[in-house]
Structure formats: C-alpha cells, structure tokens
Amino acid sequence: MPMVTIDVIKDVFSPAQKRQLIDRVTEACIAVEGENLRGVTWVRIQEFEGGDWAIGGKALHASDVRALAAGKAA
C-alpha cells in the first residue's frame, strides 16, 4: 500500500491539473501493484510557498516554474 507525495510550488498547478496528477499516479501504482490495492493507494499533493523551495541555491517561485514550462530559462 504505497503513499506517494507530490511536492509542488503553490499556485503552479490548477485544481484540474492536480486532480490529473493524482489520477495518473494512482493508475501507475495500480498497474504495478494490482487493482485490489486501489483502496489503500494514497496520493497526496503538498504545496510549498514560492521561495521555500530551491535548486542549486536558487529559490524558485511559481513564475519561475511557469517560465520553465514555457521553455524559457528560470
């Protein structure tokens, strides 16, 4: 019975996108562990405030992630 936590920066993903992440990660787990464990497969999204997350010492904000998604350097 897995518990998957997806960490994201707040205000990057819409509620619909978060639902899609949950659905797809759940289906990936079920593909491996079997349908009988669907009821005990946990997927949760934890949001962090912009600036509370850094890569290589550079704090990231929602605008940085949106720029990356658009193919621009953050």
Side-chain angles (χ1 to χ4, degrees), residues 58 60 63-74:
K58 181 186 185 297
L60 293 177
S63 58
D64 298 318
V65 178
R66 286 192 281 278
L68 286 168
K72 302 173 186 170

Side-chain angles (χ1 to χ4, degrees), residues 10-30:
K10 188 175 181 182
D11 298 325
V12 170
F13 294 98
S14 70
Q17 288 172 313
K18 289 186 275 188
R19 181 75 235 164
Q20 191 173 33
L21 282 169
I22 290 168
D23 290 345
R24 290 186 180 188
V25 170
T26 299
E27 291 306 318
C29 289
I30 296 307

Side-chain angles (χ1 to χ4, degrees), residues 7-52:
D7 294 337
V8 298
I9 296 173
K10 188 175 181 182
D11 298 325
V12 170
F13 294 98
S14 70
Q17 288 172 313
K18 289 186 275 188
R19 181 75 235 164
Q20 191 173 33
L21 282 169
I22 290 168
D23 290 345
R24 290 186 180 188
V25 170
T26 299
E27 291 306 318
C29 289
I30 296 307
V32 172
E33 66 189 9
E35 185 62 40
N36 290 337
L37 293 179
R38 181 179 294 276
V40 292
T41 299
W42 296 49
V43 179
R44 66 182 185 160
I45 295 177
Q46 184 171 353
E47 293 184 303
F48 292 88
E49 292 293 329
D52 288 349

